[in-house]
Amino acid sequence: MALYSYRAINDQGKTGKGMQDAANVVDLELRLKRGGLDLIDAKEYSGKVGLRRGKIKRPELITFFFNLEQLTRAGVPLLESLADLRDTMNDPHFREIIANLVESIEGGQKLSQAMEQHPDAYDKIFISLVHAGEESGSDRLPEIFLHITESLKWQDEMASHTKTIMLYPAFVGSVVLAITFFLMIYLVPQLVGFIKDMGQEIPIQTRILLATSAFFVDYWYALIALPIILPIAVKLIIVSSPEMQFKFDNLKLNLWVTGPILRKIILARFANTFAIMYGSGISILACIANSRDVVNNHAIAKSLEDVMHEIEAGKNLTQSFQHTGMFPPLVIRMLQVGEATGSLDKALLNVSYFYDRDVKDSINKIQAMIEPAMTIILGALLGWVMLSVLSPIYDIIGKVQF
C-alpha cells in the first residue's frame, strides 16, 4: 500500500486534510467514503513514512477520551462518535488513526481490537480497560472512557511534578555555574596583576583562587563540554545492558532528596493504574503485568515480576508485595485492608491520593529550600573571592607604621 496525502469534505461541508494508506486513489476514495468523507484531491506522499509515526501526545489523548466519554454517555453510537472526533482532531496522524478505527469497527472488529493496531496512540492499559468494558457490556464503556480520561489527566500532572523536580534544580545550578565562570574567567584575572604587584607573600586562600581561575581560563572548553559529554556517556553506559539499567534505576530511587519523591511518584502511578484496572474487572495478575509498564523503572518492575511469581506460587497479594522489600508500609497496609474488605481498588486509590498530595508538598518544600541555598552558595563564593583579594591589602595596611 502507498501513503496518500488528501483533502476531503464531510457531510457538513467542512474540508480537512489528512493522510491515509491505500492501494490506489480509487481505494482511498472508498476508504474515505466509508468514513463519511468525500475525496477532493489526493497525491502520493513522498516524504519519509517514519516522520508521521510519532507518539500521540497526552493532551490529544485526553481530548479524545473525554469527548468519546461525553458522546457515548449522551447515547451517540460509537461509530458516529468516532467519526465526529475524526473530523475535529488537529493532529493529522491522530485523525488517520481514528479513521482506521472507524474502518476496522465497520469491518467487524471491536474497539479494543482496532486500538491494538495503533500502539503509538493506545498503550496496553487503555486496550485492556476498553476490552474489560466491552466484555461487561457496552453500557460500561462511558465509565471506562471516564476512567481513562481521569488517569491521563493524573499522569499529566505527575509528569509535571517530575519535570519540576528535575528542571528547577538544574536551572538554579546553571545560574550558579554561570556566575562562577564569570568570576573565574573575567573578574579574577583582572585582579591577578594587582595582587602580584603588591610584593607581599600571597596568602593560601589567594593562591587557591588564582590557581582555580587559571584552570578555568586554560580549560574553559573542557568545563563547558563536560556537562554535555558526561550525560551522553552515562546514558550509553546505562543502555549497554539490562543490569546497568536496573542499577541506575535503583540508584535514582535512593538518591538524597529526589529519590524518595521519585519513589512516591512511581508508586502513586502504579497504585492509580492498578486501582482503575482492578475496578474495571481485570484480573490481579493482568493488573500487575500492565502496571509494570507504567512505572518506567526497572527496579520496581523487577519487584512486580517477583510479586507475580509469588502469587502464581499460591501466596496472597499482601505477602507477595511485602516479601519484595521495595514497597513501603503504607502500600502494604492498604493492600491488606483492601484484601480484607474486598475494596482493593478504593484502598489503592487512597494510596495514590496520599502520595500525590505528599509529592506536591515535598516539591514545594524543595523549591522553598533551593532559593536560600542558592543565596548561601553565591554568598560563600563571592565572600571567598573578596577575602582572597582583600587579604594581601589588609597585610600591607597592617604593616604600615604611623
Side-chain angles (χ1 to χ4, degrees):
M1 283 192 179
L3 178 64
Y4 288 89
S5 173
Y6 67 85
R7 283 195 311 128
I9 187 170
N10 62 14
D11 296 336
Q12 288 74 37
K14 183 180 178 181
T15 61
K17 297 179 180 179
M19 304 183 77
Q20 173 71 48
D21 292 315
N24 48 49
V25 176
V26 175
D27 182 37
L28 173 65
E29 187 173 5
L30 290 174
R31 287 170 179 260
L32 293 176
K33 194 70 175 178
R34 286 196 294 267
L37 297 173
D38 291 321
L39 181 64
I40 298 175
D41 57 58
K43 61 179 180 179
E44 189 171 343
Y45 184 66
S46 58
K48 294 182 179 179
V49 176
L51 293 177
R52 69 185 242 286
R53 296 299 180 187
K55 191 81 172 175
I56 299 299
K57 295 180 180 179
R58 194 179 288 116
E60 294 281 347
L61 289 172
I62 292 173
T63 301
F64 172 79
F65 282 109
F66 173 76
N67 288 325
L68 196 58
E69 183 263 331
Q70 294 291 312
L71 289 168
T72 53
R73 193 177 294 278
V76 180
L78 180 61
L79 269 175
E80 293 182 19
S81 301
L82 290 171
D84 290 341
L85 288 173
R86 175 198 58 205
D87 298 334
T88 57
M89 284 296 165
N90 295 322
D91 186 351
H93 177 31
F94 202 14
R95 282 205 305 269
E96 178 193 346
I97 288 175
I98 299 173
N100 286 337
L101 291 180
V102 172
E103 186 177 325
S104 298
I105 294 172
E106 288 177 338
Q109 292 185 349
K110 293 182 178 180
L111 177 60
S112 58
Q113 294 172 324
M115 290 169 64
E116 282 181 330
Q117 302 171 15
H118 304 283
D120 50 346
Y122 311 107
D123 60 29
K124 295 178 182 178
I125 295 171
F126 299 158
I127 296 168
S128 298
L129 287 170
V130 172
H131 177 70
E134 290 169 339
E135 292 297 314
S136 57
S138 59
D139 292 340
R140 285 208 62 194
L141 277 179
E143 181 184 344
I144 295 297
F145 296 146
L146 177 62
H147 281 326
I148 295 175
T149 303
E150 294 300 323
S151 178
L152 283 168
K153 290 180 179 177
W154 183 86
Q155 288 177 28
D156 199 51
E157 189 175 357
M158 284 291 102
S160 177
H161 292 333
T162 306
K163 290 178 182 177
T164 302
I165 295 176
M166 302 302 176
L167 291 179
Y168 193 70
F171 171 75
V172 173
S174 299
V175 172
V176 173
L177 285 175
I179 294 174
T180 303
F181 266 84
F182 171 77
L183 291 174
M184 295 301 168
I185 294 178
Y186 178 76
L187 183 61
V188 174
Q190 293 188 0
L191 302 174
V192 171
F194 171 72
I195 295 172
K196 291 182 176 179
D197 290 343
M198 290 181 180
Q200 299 291 320
E201 181 180 354
I202 301 177
I204 180 65
Q205 68 269 18
T206 307
R207 291 201 298 269
I208 294 174
L209 175 65
L210 297 179
T212 304
S213 177
F215 180 81
F216 270 75
V217 171
D218 293 338
Y219 299 102
W220 62 268
Y221 52 88
L223 294 172
I224 292 176
L226 187 63
I228 301 173
I229 296 175
L230 188 60
I232 295 175
V234 170
K235 186 173 183 179
L236 291 175
I237 293 172
I238 292 170
V239 301
S240 63
S241 68
E243 183 181 0
M244 291 302 300
Q245 293 175 4
F246 177 86
K247 290 181 177 179
F248 179 71
D249 284 347
N250 194 49
L251 175 64
K252 289 193 295 186
L253 296 176
N254 294 287
L255 285 176
W256 179 68
V257 180
T258 59
I261 298 177
L262 182 61
R263 184 187 293 266
K264 290 173 185 176
I265 290 175
I266 292 174
L267 290 178
R269 188 183 302 157
F270 160 75
N272 183 272
T273 303
F274 191 107
I276 289 175
M277 297 186 72
Y278 183 79
S280 300
I282 298 173
S283 68
I284 287 179
L285 284 176
C287 289
I288 296 174
N290 289 325
S291 300
R292 184 181 53 194
D293 300 328
V294 173
V295 297
N296 196 26
N297 184 283
H298 289 79
I300 294 182
K302 175 64 169 58
S303 297
L304 292 175
E305 286 183 16
D306 295 339
V307 168
M308 292 175 62
H309 294 324
E310 295 210 4
I311 292 175
E312 290 171 346
K315 293 183 180 178
N316 65 36
L317 187 67
T318 304
Q319 290 176 335
S320 302
F321 274 88
Q322 193 169 15
H323 288 168
T324 64
M326 179 64 73
F327 300 92
L330 174 66
V331 175
I332 303 301
R333 173 61 65 185
M334 284 298 183
L335 287 171
Q336 189 175 21
V337 171
E339 276 192 306
T341 61
S343 301
L344 189 59
D345 53 338
K346 294 181 180 179
L348 286 173
L349 284 175
N350 287 334
V351 173
S352 175
Y353 169 77
F354 174 80
Y355 278 145
D356 185 18
R357 187 183 62 183
D358 199 17
V359 165
K360 293 177 182 177
D361 292 341
S362 299
I363 290 175
N364 291 332
K365 289 177 182 177
I366 289 177
Q367 289 178 335
M369 291 171 56
I370 285 177
E371 293 176 3
M374 183 180 72
T375 303
I376 292 172
I377 292 172
L378 290 177
L381 185 61
L382 292 172
W384 174 44
V385 173
M386 295 302 296
L387 179 64
S388 301
V389 172
L390 294 177
S391 290
I393 298 176
Y394 287 147
D395 289 342
I396 292 176
I397 294 175
K399 293 177 182 179
V400 175
Q401 297 180 352
F402 296 96

XYZ file of all heavy atoms in Angstrom, residues 53 98 182 196 227 236 238 326 354 377 385 399:
105
model
N 4.960 8.813 12.301
C 4.658 7.753 13.240
C 5.086 8.096 14.661
O 5.421 7.228 15.439
C 5.343 6.449 12.792
C 4.829 5.916 11.451
C 3.355 5.587 11.511
N 2.855 5.087 10.234
C 1.579 4.863 9.993
N 0.671 5.148 10.901
N 1.194 4.415 8.818
N -7.835 7.539 13.975
C -9.272 7.439 14.269
C -10.036 6.951 13.043
O -10.981 6.147 13.159
C -9.803 8.799 14.759
C -9.088 9.223 16.040
C -11.313 8.720 15.018
C -9.423 10.621 16.503
N 31.866 33.504 35.241
C 32.101 34.943 35.112
C 33.186 35.403 36.077
O 34.103 36.150 35.700
C 30.800 35.705 35.368
C 30.993 37.192 35.475
C 31.187 37.963 34.341
C 30.985 37.820 36.722
C 31.369 39.339 34.440
C 31.166 39.182 36.828
C 31.356 39.947 35.686
N 49.702 40.555 42.494
C 51.126 40.210 42.410
C 52.025 41.437 42.543
O 53.165 41.345 43.021
C 51.404 39.483 41.096
C 50.782 38.083 41.052
C 51.117 37.367 39.759
C 50.568 35.943 39.759
N 50.864 35.223 38.501
N 29.543 18.971 30.976
C 28.109 18.718 31.245
C 27.351 18.162 30.043
O 26.256 17.625 30.203
C 27.570 20.112 31.614
C 28.759 20.901 32.014
C 29.890 20.383 31.173
N 24.885 6.100 27.528
C 25.373 4.967 26.730
C 25.749 3.792 27.620
O 25.511 2.629 27.271
C 26.581 5.411 25.894
C 26.279 6.394 24.750
C 27.567 6.841 24.080
C 25.346 5.748 23.720
N 24.442 3.169 30.575
C 23.210 2.639 31.165
C 22.493 1.705 30.196
O 22.051 0.615 30.576
C 22.290 3.790 31.598
C 22.907 4.542 32.777
C 20.908 3.269 31.983
C 22.196 5.832 33.111
N 10.464 -3.699 48.464
C 10.508 -2.477 47.667
C 9.387 -1.508 48.041
O 9.535 -0.294 47.904
C 10.413 -2.823 46.181
C 10.416 -1.633 45.228
S 11.952 -0.684 45.262
C 13.047 -1.815 44.388
N -2.799 9.908 48.676
C -1.855 10.305 49.716
C -0.497 10.673 49.124
O 0.080 11.718 49.457
C -1.690 9.159 50.726
C -0.628 9.427 51.760
C -0.896 10.231 52.857
C 0.647 8.879 51.627
C 0.092 10.490 53.805
C 1.626 9.130 52.559
C 1.347 9.932 53.659
N 25.199 29.755 48.685
C 26.309 29.325 47.828
C 26.946 30.522 47.126
O 28.175 30.673 47.096
C 25.823 28.281 46.806
C 25.437 26.989 47.513
C 26.898 28.013 45.753
C 24.771 25.972 46.619
N 36.037 35.069 47.089
C 36.765 35.933 46.150
C 37.197 37.228 46.835
O 38.357 37.666 46.726
C 35.894 36.231 44.912
C 36.582 37.263 44.018
C 35.618 34.947 44.131
N 51.067 46.438 58.146
C 52.491 46.687 58.302
C 52.847 48.186 58.250
O 54.007 48.564 58.446
C 53.267 45.958 57.206
C 53.192 44.441 57.360
C 53.922 43.744 56.203
C 53.798 42.240 56.346
N 54.476 41.530 55.235
